[in-house]
Amino acid sequence: MMRTAFACAAAAAVLLTAGAASAQSAPEVAWNAAVASDYVFRGFSQTNEDPTLQGGVDATIGAFYLGAWASNVDFGDSTDAEIDIYGGYRGEAAGFAFDVGVVAYAYVGAPAGADYDYVEFKGAASRAIGPATIGAVIYWSPDFFGIDEEATYVEANIAFEPAPQWTVSGAVGHQALDVNADYATWNAGVAYAFTDNVAIDVRYHDTDVSGPLSDDRVVAALKLLF
């Protein structure tokens, strides 16, 4: 996002924008692709610390958006890929940009009975303060990945541009689960946009969970927008 719609050219925290919906509006379609040294989601490697190839498409009509995104994954079983379908509405109120939506996560080749597929509802808000943009987001699922059922993820993030083409960003999040233990995760990184369509991001990820897939790591990603 980002695993989902939160990806941007600089791979920074979300910068939400507003638009007016119109029945006459033609959809604006944008494609994205990325190659990275690892796929980290909320602090955990989804590819067993191996490289990943990802891609997606977004369609926007006024303030409404709809998109799809996919990545290879490696859970140590027969699961081959993750496919996300998402949609929502962006707007602005009282100086804050907001985004409300829903994300469906599906896993190709998952073993029978694994119960990997799930849906999350999302609410996000951000505001520019001087050269920085600060934001917060919450995701809630009634039936989360694997054995967990109700789950909530909350995150605070910040991004700023110290110089043209450079973006520095970071985030701190907390994942609450009803079966597995809750945990905290954080990341910080810097991105450089070579052009409006090509950017590189180098990011540090960590959690308070000790394990080979959740220990601290640095991930480099090359992103393309077209």
Side-chain angles (χ1 to χ4, degrees):
M1 218 242 246
M2 234 201 226
R3 184 178 185 176
T4 59
F6 291 109
C8 66
V14 178
L15 303 180
L16 302 174
T17 57
S22 169
Q24 290 76 34
S25 297
E28 296 182 5
V29 179
W31 300 80
N32 63 82
V35 58
S37 58
D38 196 354
Y39 168 21
V40 178
F41 177 68
R42 298 180 188 170
F44 282 76
S45 173
Q46 307 294 292
T47 53
N48 198 25
E49 301 184 298
D50 287 333
T52 179
L53 181 63
Q54 304 169 340
V57 59
D58 295 276
T60 303
I61 305 177
F64 295 92
Y65 64 89
L66 180 68
W69 182 89
S71 174
N72 62 293
V73 297
D74 183 359
F75 299 153
D77 55 25
S78 59
T79 310
D80 296 317
E82 172 192 333
I83 299 175
D84 302 345
I85 305 295
Y86 51 86
Y89 178 87
R90 299 185 181 106
E92 187 172 344
F96 288 86
F98 66 85
D99 181 344
V100 291
V102 60
V103 186
Y105 304 84
Y107 294 88
V108 179
D115 196 22
Y116 287 163
D117 298 352
Y118 66 101
V119 172
E120 285 187 318
F121 298 91
K122 175 190 70 177
S126 68
R127 182 166 187 162
I129 301 178
T133 297
I134 60 171
V137 61
I138 181 169
Y139 287 86
W140 176 79
S141 175
D143 186 5
F144 196 59
F145 181 90
I147 63 174
D148 287 289
E149 293 188 1
E150 184 173 350
T152 303
Y153 178 74
V154 293
E155 179 184 285
N157 51 62
I158 184 170
F160 66 97
E161 297 182 3
Q165 299 175 279
W166 290 92
T167 302
V168 178
S169 63
V172 176
H174 180 266
Q175 180 71 71
L177 303 166
D178 65 350
V179 177
N180 288 299
D182 298 355
Y183 70 93
T185 180
W186 52 93
N187 70 79
V190 58
Y192 179 78
F194 297 99
T195 69
D196 291 340
N197 306 100
V198 182
I200 188 169
D201 180 272
V202 179
R203 187 161 303 275
Y204 173 82
H205 297 265
D206 200 5
T207 73
D208 62 354
V209 179
S210 179
L213 300 182
S214 58
D215 286 344
D216 62 324
R217 69 197 62 225
V218 174
V219 175
L222 178 66
K223 302 196 173 187
L224 307 176
L225 299 177
F226 47 95

